[in-house]
C-alpha cells in the first residue's frame, strides 16, 4: 500500500490561507466552513487543525496577513510637504484594495456579526487611526494644520471614510481606476487638513 507523501507544514498552511482568501472573494464569511475550505485543497480535514483552531482563527489570520500589506502604507505620508508623497500613500492603499477588495469586504461584513473578527478588523483600522493622528499632530505642531483641529476624531473620521469608500469601490468589478481614487482621497484629505487646493 503506497503512503501519501507528507506535506511541508508551511506549504499546507499557505495553501489553506490562499484557499480561504479565494473563498472570501466569492462567498460571505458566514458560508466559510472548515469543510468548504478543505474541499478546495489537496489536504485532509485534520490538516486544518494543525494550523488553525477554527474558521474564526483562519479569518483572523487572513485579516493579519492583509494587515501587513496595508500596514506598509502607514508611513507613506508627506501630505503637507509634498503632494506626490501624499498621493503615494493613497496609491499604495488603493492598490491593496484593488488586489484584495472582495476579501476585505467579506471581512468587514464578518466583523458586524462575529466578535473575534470584529476585534481583529477593528484593531487593523485602529492602527491606521493612531498613525494618522500622529502625523496630524506632528503637522499641527509644525504650524501646517490649524491648532483647533480635533486630532483624534479627525483621524478617526478620515480613516473610516477611506475604509468604507475603498471597500465599496474595489469589492466588485468593474472598479474605478486606482489613480482616480487616489486623486479623490487626496483632495478630500488635503482640503480637510490643510484647507487648501
Amino acid at each position: 500500500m503506497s503512503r501519501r507523501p507528507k506535506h511541508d507544514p508551511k506549504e499546507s498552511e499557505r495553501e489553506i490561507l490562499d484557499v480561504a482568501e479565494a473563498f472570501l472573494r466569492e462567498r460571505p464569511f458566514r458560508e466559510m466552513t472548515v469543510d468548504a475550505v478543505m474541499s478546495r485543497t489537496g489536504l485532509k480535514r485534520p490538516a486544518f487543525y494543525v494550523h488553525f483552531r477554527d474558521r474564526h482563527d483562519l479569518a483572523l489570520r487572513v485579516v493579519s496577513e492583509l494587515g501587513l500589506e496595508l500596514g506598509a502604507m502607514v508611513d507613506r505620508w508627506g501630505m503637507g510637504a509634498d503632494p506626490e508623497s501624499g498621493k503615494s500613500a493613497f496609491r499604495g492603499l488603493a492598490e491593496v484594495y484593488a488586489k484584495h477588495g472582495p476579501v476585505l469586504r467579506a471581512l468587514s461584513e464578518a466583523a458586524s456579526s462575529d466578535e473575534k473578527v470584529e476585534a481583529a478588523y477593528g484593531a487593523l483600522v485602529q492602527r491606521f487611526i493612531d498613525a494618522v493622528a500622529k502625523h496630524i499632530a506632528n503637522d499641527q505642531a509644525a504650524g501646517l494644520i490649524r491648532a483647533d483641529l480635533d486630532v483624534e476624531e479627525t483621524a478617526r473620521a478620515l480613516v473610516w471614510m477611506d475604509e468604507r469608500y475603498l471597500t465599496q469601490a474595489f469589492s466588485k468589478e468593474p472598479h474605478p481606476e486606482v489613480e482616480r481614487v487616489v486623486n479623490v482621497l487626496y483632495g478630500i484629505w488635503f482640503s480637510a487638513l490643510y484647507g487648501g487646493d
Side-chain angles (χ1 to χ4, degrees):
M1 179 159 81
S2 63
R3 295 180 64 187
R4 188 170 183 262
K6 285 189 175 181
H7 285 267
D8 181 301
K10 288 184 180 177
E11 287 180 14
S12 60
E13 181 181 38
R14 180 77 261 152
E15 183 178 354
I16 295 167
L17 283 165
D18 289 345
V19 165
E21 182 171 339
F23 183 94
L24 290 172
R25 286 181 182 279
E26 304 163 12
R27 313 295 304 165
F29 173 74
R30 67 180 175 273
E31 294 180 18
M32 190 177 80
T33 64
V34 173
D35 286 336
V37 170
M38 296 309 288
S39 69
R40 296 181 177 207
T41 71
L43 305 166
K44 302 282 186 189
R45 182 184 168 99
F48 178 91
Y49 297 102
V50 171
H51 307 288
F52 311 99
R53 289 187 304 276
D54 51 30
R55 72 188 187 109
H56 304 281
D57 190 35
L58 175 58
L60 298 183
R61 284 290 303 284
V62 174
V63 171
S64 176
E65 294 219 334
L66 293 177
L68 292 175
E69 282 192 54
L70 290 168
M73 307 306 141
V74 170
D75 291 326
R76 294 188 189 181
W77 185 250
M79 289 286 292
D82 175 18
E84 271 315 304
S85 176
K87 287 184 178 182
S88 172
F90 292 117
R91 192 171 294 115
L93 200 56
E95 285 169 354
V96 173
Y97 270 86
K99 182 179 175 185
H100 301 290
V103 179
L104 287 160
R105 183 202 68 233
L107 293 170
S108 175
E109 290 171 354
S112 67
S113 60
D114 185 282
E115 288 182 10
K116 291 179 181 177
V117 178
E118 179 186 20
Y121 193 78
L124 171 63
V125 175
Q126 189 62 46
R127 280 173 53 200
F128 277 89
I129 293 170
D130 292 343
V132 168
K134 182 179 177 183
H135 286 301
I136 292 174
N138 288 342
D139 278 3
Q140 203 174 46
L144 298 172
I145 295 174
R146 68 180 199 273
D148 64 341
L149 187 83
D150 186 321
V151 172
E152 293 294 331
E153 286 306 303
T154 300
R156 186 181 316 283
L158 289 171
V159 170
W160 277 110
M161 176 202 68
D162 283 7
E163 186 272 347
R164 286 291 80 199
Y165 173 57
L166 290 165
T167 298
Q168 291 300 313
F170 292 112
S171 62
K172 294 180 183 175
E173 295 283 356
H175 53 66
E177 292 181 7
V178 165
E179 213 55 34
R180 185 178 181 189
V181 170
V182 168
N183 289 330
V184 166
L185 290 176
Y186 183 80
I188 292 169
W189 278 57
F190 193 90
S191 179
L193 296 175
Y194 302 96
D197 52 25

